[in-house]
Amino acid sequence: QVHLAESGGGLVQPGGSLRLSCAASGSIPSFYNMGWYRQAPGKQRELVAAVTSGGSTNYADSVKDRFTISRESVKVYLQMNSLKPEDTAVYYCNVREILYDVDYWGKGTLVTVSS
């Protein structure tokens, strides 16, 4: 089984920055993509950013040019700059096994953007 542990969430003022980290452990697939999703109150979980094993990235339009996803070894990061109140959500780390399209999820870390 794959275990994902997120960290880095917290309270930040609008315009501030946070860096989320996720470490994978356990039975890591040979080929997998990694990403970050978020879920705000009253809304569905949505993709924030993803990165493939080959380094290709994809971002939601709402975070484009503000967030940066990166990965190294069994870790994935999300650098969040110029944060806005609408970025407030629980952020979840995701690992997707490419061959079988199986998802693994972290428990989430709360990001609150407020003055």
Side-chain angles (χ1 to χ4, degrees), residues 21-98:
S21 300
C22 176
S25 61
S27 184
I28 310 299
S30 297
F31 303 97
Y32 60 97
N33 299 330
M34 304 187 79
W36 290 92
Y37 289 70
R38 69 185 181 187
Q39 186 166 21
K43 296 185 177 180
Q44 293 183 254
R45 186 176 299 184
E46 64 176 355
L47 174 68
V48 177
V51 57
T52 69
S53 59
S56 178
T57 59
N58 183 45
Y59 296 91
D61 289 340
S62 60
V63 306
K64 187 178 180 181
D65 300 323
R66 296 189 297 120
F67 292 9
T68 302
I69 189 170
S70 61
R71 66 185 292 178
E72 58 181 31
S73 186
V74 295
K75 297 180 179 180
V76 62
Y77 306 92
L78 185 67
Q79 179 65 48
M80 305 185 294
N81 299 324
S82 302
L83 284 162
K84 304 175 180 179
E86 51 263 44
D87 294 318
T88 296
V90 176
Y91 285 70
Y92 298 90
C93 180
N94 168 261
V95 165
R96 179 165 295 155
E97 188 172 2
I98 296 175

